[in-house]
Amino acid sequence: MIENSFDIPIDVALLPYKIVKAGHLNCIYEAGNLRYIKCGDTEIVRMIYGAVRNENWETIAPEITEEIIEAEEDNFCISYTALYNTAEIKYTAKFIIEGKADSSISVIMKGLALSDFKKNRIGLCVLHPLIENKGKELQIVKPAGDRHTAVFPELIAPHQPFKEIQQMQWQPATTLYARIRFSGDIFETEDQRNWSDSSFKTYSTPLHLPFPALVKAGETMVQRIVLTVTGNINQPAEKLKQKKIPAGKAASSKMGYCMPDGQTMLTDEQVKFFKENRFHHYRVEIYLYKNYWQQQLQNAVTDAIKLNTKLELILFFENKYDEQLQLFLQQIKSSTQYIYAVLLLDRKQVVTPPELMQKGYTLIKAACPFIKVGYGTDAYFAALNRNPPGSLPHNFVSFSLMPQAHASDTRTILENLESLPDIIQTIQSFTQKDIHISPVSIGRRINPDAVAEEDYLVADTDPRTGTAFAAAWKLFCTQGLEKAASITFF
């Protein structure tokens, strides 16, 4: 996976890289990270990198200095200093990455805090590819020396499938054996498909420990990861290629669009644009705990009439469910024909509370039986996967999708298309109702992990949004999500 072979036009910048070799292993070095570590045609590790994440789970991009790259035919040594510098965080780390002729790679991260700050995670991470690992066994050695056999999950694991890891060993191919040893902290593995990433991630500092944690100026850390590959490693190394996402049939999902961010009504120019692009519904968020929600709803109905379409309403409640439901039903009496679906959410909870779902479904279906009533989240799939609807009444489940929860580079966005069919398959394992994905955005629109409410909305607009790359990415999303009943684009 180096150059683009997704048949997606790349009219956006890709980061420069260098191919390096360690014995029979090939990989690329890009912006401080090792990517696509392969033996012949078999991908062993998707990426090894260092991460500093603040109290909002935002990944801090480092400035790389003092970079030295020494690469020979079958070995390499790379060193650099990374400075993580924001208004809240001042942190530096020295990295030493060595690839040896015996087909082993080691990565060392030596960190130093230059200020006091709060962090959720600091340390090395390993990404494991999906296709080579799903459903396969691995051996895990715990820090105390205990060994046990585990399995990379087929369906998306809602919580960490592997914990307390000092070493893991697995077979990426029939005659290949891979082993990773970890030191400097306790490591565990999560299923990153919960956030639409196409990988399993092994990282340090277990999530059962309290976070955010205070880091004091002068505090140091040292972590090391060693990857060794043995077995039939004499197969010829081939040029690394990006995995293709197979072109699927045109999706039959109902397609919708969102109200543009920060607007209360569409302009005439926007109405003209939307009408020229055929779509099924128009997504509008209604905050029933705010004083202006009735006008907001009336504006949405007016826009729906102009667009000759129906509304997907995302209803945010707060505490007084009965009162707010009755006011909502009274307000829509004369405009129910313009409403296609409603998603019931509480502004302070990550998924629909059972009480709200039960009351909302009963009251709305009694008054308007043709309106679909949904359960779900405005956040990532992880929230839905960890809190499925169970026996609660619902017509559909809903979650939002964005490929940049952990990294924002273009190659990662391409990779993450691989996870989409697995998300659909996992949902079908816990409900047979319709699946709504609302909204889908290439850039980050919210941060559901933000500590402060004012940091929940993200004002940044991804510069790739209006590119041919983004348009093609959207098309591949519809193919990967083709079994969804409804897809709404941001």
Side-chain angles (χ1 to χ4, degrees):
M1 252 192 208
I2 297 181
E3 300 300 345
N4 171 47
S5 61
F6 282 87
D7 299 325
I8 287 183
I10 298 292
D11 56 345
V12 297
L14 289 169
L15 295 174
Y17 64 88
K18 181 176 178 63
I19 296 178
V20 292
K21 298 181 179 181
H24 294 279
L25 302 181
N26 293 259
C27 57
I28 73 171
Y29 170 72
E30 175 197 72
N33 308 320
L34 287 186
R35 302 185 79 140
Y36 315 132
I37 301 174
K38 301 181 77 173
C39 184
D41 248 357
T42 304
E43 187 175 6
I44 311 296
V45 166
R46 174 59 54 89
M47 191 187 320
I48 302 177
Y49 64 102
V52 174
R53 305 191 72 183
N54 67 12
E55 62 180 332
N56 288 330
W57 285 111
E58 294 165 332
T59 303
I60 310 303
E63 176 190 355
I64 294 177
T65 62
E66 302 174 332
E67 184 180 52
I68 300 174
I69 304 173
E70 298 173 342
E72 304 294 338
E73 181 62 30
D74 61 357
N75 66 89
F76 64 90
C77 182
I78 301 168
S79 63
Y80 66 90
T81 298
L83 177 62
Y84 303 87
N85 187 12
T86 69
E88 297 82 21
I89 293 175
K90 302 290 184 292
Y91 194 84
T92 186
K94 179 74 174 180
F95 288 83
I96 302 173
I97 307 171
E98 288 187 280
K100 297 182 179 180
D102 63 355
S103 300
S104 69
I105 294 173
S106 69
V107 181
I108 298 174
M109 178 182 182
K110 300 179 179 180
L112 171 65
L114 304 178
S115 68
D116 295 353
F117 61 88
K118 291 182 179 180
K119 62 95 176 179
N120 284 351
R121 177 175 301 150
I122 296 177
L124 292 171
C125 302
V126 176
L127 301 187
H128 311 269
L130 294 179
I131 294 175
E132 289 79 0
N133 292 309
K134 283 191 301 182
K136 290 188 177 180
E137 289 188 352
L138 73 158
Q139 302 295 315
I140 292 176
V141 180
K142 296 189 175 186
D146 302 337
R147 294 174 175 266
H148 73 279
T149 300
V151 177
F152 285 104
E154 286 273 8
L155 297 177
I156 302 172
H159 301 285
Q160 288 74 10
F162 320 133
K163 296 183 178 182
E164 297 183 60
I165 304 169
Q166 186 178 68
Q167 178 177 297
M168 58 195 339
Q169 183 171 321
W170 72 103
Q171 284 186 258
T174 305
T175 58
L176 287 178
Y177 299 87
R179 181 183 67 191
I180 300 180
R181 286 176 289 149
F182 304 88
S183 61
D185 203 341
I186 304 300
F187 285 74
E188 63 186 23
T189 302
E190 69 185 9
D191 195 330
Q192 289 212 124
R193 292 174 292 177
N194 280 299
W195 297 271
S196 77
D197 291 60
S198 62
S199 59
F200 305 101
K201 179 172 70 180
T202 301
Y203 58 90
S204 62
T205 311
L207 284 178
H208 73 265
L209 297 178
F211 63 86
L214 178 64
V215 178
K216 300 289 290 183
E219 189 174 318
T220 62
M221 60 81 73
V222 179
Q223 290 186 8
R224 188 182 189 202
I225 288 174
V226 180
L227 166 69
T228 305
V229 178
T230 58
N232 182 19
I233 59 176
N234 294 314
Q235 54 183 308
E238 299 181 8
K239 182 181 177 182
L240 303 182
K241 295 180 181 179
Q242 195 163 33
K243 292 178 181 175
K244 272 183 171 284
I245 299 291
K249 61 184 180 181
S252 59
S253 312
K254 294 180 173 66
M255 299 295 173
Y257 289 103
C258 288
M259 173 179 283
D261 195 27
Q263 289 190 218
T264 56
M265 288 191 73
L266 293 175
T267 65
D268 291 341
E269 184 179 358
Q270 288 169 331
V271 170
K272 181 175 182 292
F273 169 82
F274 278 125
K275 292 182 78 170
E276 290 172 351
N277 293 271
R278 295 181 60 185
F279 66 104
H280 174 264
H281 59 271
Y282 180 52
R283 180 188 195 271
V284 178
E285 297 176 359
I286 305 294
Y287 303 92
L288 294 164
Y289 54 89
K290 294 187 175 181
N291 293 330
Y292 57 79
W293 74 265
Q294 288 96 337
Q295 185 60 54
Q296 191 181 27
L297 180 58
Q298 185 55 54
N299 291 345
V301 171
T302 301
D303 281 342
I305 294 170
K306 290 180 181 178
L307 295 169
N308 191 28
T309 192
K310 292 198 173 187
L311 295 170
E312 176 188 66
L313 296 179
I314 314 301
L315 303 181
F316 289 89
F317 292 78
E318 185 180 56
N319 299 327
K320 302 175 182 179
Y321 298 151
D322 289 301
E323 178 183 332
Q324 290 170 350
L325 281 164
Q326 293 294 349
L327 288 172
F328 169 73
L329 289 170
Q330 183 178 351
Q331 186 73 15
I332 65 169
K333 271 185 179 179
S334 60
S335 52
T336 55
Q337 69 270 33
Y338 300 110
I339 300 173
Y340 150 64
V342 297
L343 175 63
L344 307 177
L345 298 175
D346 185 298
R347 65 177 294 213
K348 294 182 179 179
Q349 298 194 42
V350 70
V351 294
T352 311
E355 180 188 1
L356 174 58
M357 192 68 233
Q358 192 74 53
K359 289 182 176 180
Y361 184 91
T362 301
L363 290 173
I364 293 172
K365 297 301 280 188
C368 315
F370 51 86
I371 293 178
K372 295 180 181 294
V373 183
Y375 170 96
T377 180
D378 191 40
Y380 305 119
F381 171 65
L384 179 61
N385 198 26
R386 293 170 177 174
N387 302 275
S391 60
L392 289 171
H394 61 286
N395 296 126
F396 65 91
V397 293
S398 181
F399 66 97
S400 69
L401 188 145
M402 186 275 299
Q404 299 186 50
H406 298 103
S408 59
D409 64 280
T410 299
R411 286 193 180 94
T412 294
I413 291 174
L414 284 172
E415 293 169 12
N416 290 348
L417 289 165
E418 295 177 15
S419 69
L420 304 184
D422 289 354
I423 294 175
I424 298 298
Q425 185 179 5
T426 302
I427 295 173
Q428 291 174 331
S429 73
F430 60 72
T431 182
Q432 298 303 306
K433 301 293 186 177
D434 285 351
I435 300 169
H436 288 202
I437 304 168
S438 178
V440 174
S441 61
I442 197 168
R444 185 186 289 260
R445 49 178 275 273
I446 62 170
N447 180 5
D449 299 311
V451 174
E453 187 173 356
E454 58 268 23
D455 294 328
Y456 180 84
L457 294 175
V458 178
D460 292 341
T461 300
D462 192 289
R464 290 165 291 204
T465 298
T467 63
F469 167 79
W473 177 85
K474 169 183 168 182
L475 174 62
F476 274 89
C477 277
T478 64
Q479 293 175 352
L481 302 169
E482 63 181 355
K483 294 183 179 179
S486 174
I487 303 172
T488 305
F489 287 96
F490 184 67

